[in-house]
Amino acid sequence: RFTEVAHMLLVNLRRFRVPVLLVRNKVDQDIENAMEDHGWTRDQTLTHLRADLARCGSIDVGEVFLIAASKVLGSGHREPLLLDFHRLEEALVYCTLRGRCEGPFYWENRELEDRPSLRHICTIRQDWAMVLLSQSDHCGKFSRAQVIEVQRNENAALYKEFLQMRRHLTRTYQDGVQSLQPAIDAEFLINGHVNEVFLWHGTGSTAMEIILSKGFDERVASVSHNLYGSGLYFASQSCKSLQYASTGAERCLILCRVLLGNVFYAAGAIGAAIRRPPCVQGCPHDTPCLHERHDSVVANSGVGMQVHREFVVHNRRQVYPEFLIKFRM
């Protein structure tokens, strides 16, 4: 857990835009303790540690590094247990040589030069995408799916707008926002301080190209047949977003970074044409008021007739379309 001094240090480092990497050593002990206390596997322990450190430090999971010099074998001998060591080496070299960077650590265009591009991702990233599709599939739709290609959308102009919104929410909620209820899977949580998460979005091929190039646009969202207002809809379950994806032999989903901030939990439909999140004081949705407003709407599974969990935002700057995943069913 972070002390108040450590938390303030991180706040001030970010204020001066200093790259921050969080490193936890002796993770071999954490793995052994978690196995004894909770029965967790090594991967479960690592996932929990990364998510917990990212949430406490209000940074991306990709900027958390778990290392251990070695682990003890049954014979009493030790063997190397590097974990994130090589990735940490690369991160330190990168930050030292290239100075201040704002894009995600794994981007080639981390300095956010103005050159929008789609970049192909190696086979490992394709495997990662298939795991995410399958883990978040609650209907069995992806049981026979095959990922064909994964592209990373490194669009400097769009990401700068997204960063500006993240900074705004971080300043607005200096003590952080309430965590999502129920919690989202650790693989999809990016920054718990402002509820930044990865979510799925399905759409047709024409709209997909526009979204990757120009971003989402809530002004063209439908004002009818919506349960939770006229906005940008996302899902934590890939099978839900698949309902809106283009049909055919080859299909696509977009995996987006979404800033949910202070969430309003819908207890039922709030009106198809509502164009902004509800008031924090509970005023009627269609009544003008001067109160602050929530940043997003979440409809949890089991509320009314809701089968899948849905997320709605009404500001395009709260969304960044980062990965395009192409697959066959």
Side-chain angles (χ1 to χ4, degrees):
R1 294 287 182 235
F2 281 77
T3 64
E4 184 176 350
V5 173
H7 182 74
M8 288 305 301
L9 175 61
L10 286 172
V11 169
N12 283 294
L13 286 173
R14 283 195 294 270
R15 182 176 300 163
F16 291 99
R17 301 172 74 182
V18 176
V20 174
L21 307 176
L22 285 183
V23 182
R24 182 178 180 89
N25 192 18
K26 299 183 178 178
V27 178
D28 54 325
Q29 297 178 8
D30 293 311
I31 294 173
E32 292 176 7
N33 293 338
M35 172 65 75
E36 293 177 0
D37 298 341
H38 307 290
W40 290 353
T41 64
R42 168 177 147 167
D43 289 342
Q44 287 175 321
T45 303
L46 298 181
T47 298
H48 175 79
L49 282 175
R50 289 193 181 101
D52 192 47
L53 282 169
R55 181 171 58 254
C56 292
S58 300
I59 65 172
D60 289 356
V61 173
E63 292 167 335
V64 171
F65 301 85
L66 307 177
I67 61 174
S70 60
K71 68 175 180 179
V72 179
L73 300 177
S75 59
H77 297 292
R78 306 184 73 90
E79 71 172 14
L81 183 65
L82 297 176
L83 299 177
D84 297 334
F85 185 76
H86 292 309
R87 193 166 63 87
L88 175 60
E89 281 186 315
E90 294 175 357
L92 290 172
V93 170
Y94 190 93
C95 292
T96 301
L97 295 181
R98 302 194 67 172
R100 187 181 70 208
C101 301
E102 294 186 293
F105 169 73
Y106 46 83
W107 279 25
E108 293 182 26
N109 184 21
R110 195 182 181 203
E111 292 181 333
L112 298 186
E113 299 173 0
D114 290 320
R115 48 182 178 89
S117 61
L118 281 175
R119 301 201 178 277
H120 293 276
I121 302 177
C122 64
T123 304
I124 293 176
R125 302 305 291 181
Q126 291 183 17
D127 293 342
W128 161 82
M130 190 66 249
V131 169
L132 288 187
L133 285 170
S134 300
Q135 284 185 345
S136 60
D137 175 18
H138 288 208
C139 302
K141 299 289 186 182
F142 287 90
S143 58
R144 298 184 179 181
Q146 177 186 5
V147 173
I148 304 168
E149 183 181 24
V150 181
Q151 295 178 328
R152 183 171 64 229
N153 184 33
E154 297 190 4
N155 190 318
L158 284 183
Y159 197 76
K160 286 177 180 177
E161 291 184 357
F162 179 80
L163 277 181
Q164 187 176 8
M165 177 56 73
R166 184 201 284 165
R167 294 188 189 111
H168 166 70
L169 292 177
T170 301
R171 289 193 300 268
T172 301
Y173 306 113
Q174 294 185 9
D175 296 326
V177 295
Q178 183 179 2
S179 300
L180 286 172
Q181 300 296 327
I184 199 166
D185 290 346
E187 293 82 356
F188 291 83
L189 177 64
I190 303 173
N191 186 335
H193 189 85
V194 291
N195 280 334
E196 180 182 350
V197 295
F198 277 126
L199 294 174
W200 300 105
H201 183 81
T203 188
S205 56
T206 301
M208 177 192 68
E209 294 296 334
I210 297 173
I211 288 170
L212 294 173
S213 176
K214 302 298 183 182
F216 288 88
D217 192 342
E218 70 281 1
R219 296 172 299 182
V220 298
S222 171
V223 293
S224 60
H225 308 296
N226 302 311
L227 292 176
Y228 310 108
S230 175
L232 308 172
Y233 279 68
F234 303 88
S236 55
Q237 296 155 340
S238 54
C239 49
K240 174 62 177 178
S241 295
L242 183 64
Q243 298 175 10
Y244 306 96
S246 55
T247 57
E250 235 180 63
R251 309 182 73 175
C252 302
L253 287 181
I254 304 176
L255 187 61
C256 305
R257 289 174 176 257
V258 184
L259 293 165
L260 298 173
N262 181 18
V263 172
F264 173 82
Y265 294 95
I270 64 175
I274 300 298
R275 290 184 174 273
R276 57 180 181 171
C279 159
V280 297
Q281 298 296 328
C283 296
H285 301 315
D286 55 354
T287 302
C289 70
L290 296 176
H291 302 134
E292 297 296 327
R293 310 193 80 81
H294 292 273
D295 303 301
S296 61
V297 176
V298 173
N300 284 324
S301 304
V303 174
M305 300 295 290
Q306 193 73 27
V307 177
H308 299 89
R309 195 179 192 187
E310 292 190 81
F311 303 77
V312 187
V313 297
H314 300 78
N315 186 332
R316 74 198 80 169
R317 293 175 179 83
Q318 289 176 239
V319 186
Y320 180 77
E322 188 168 7
F323 294 97
L324 172 65
I325 302 174
K326 300 180 180 180
F327 52 90
R328 293 192 184 96
M329 300 300 292

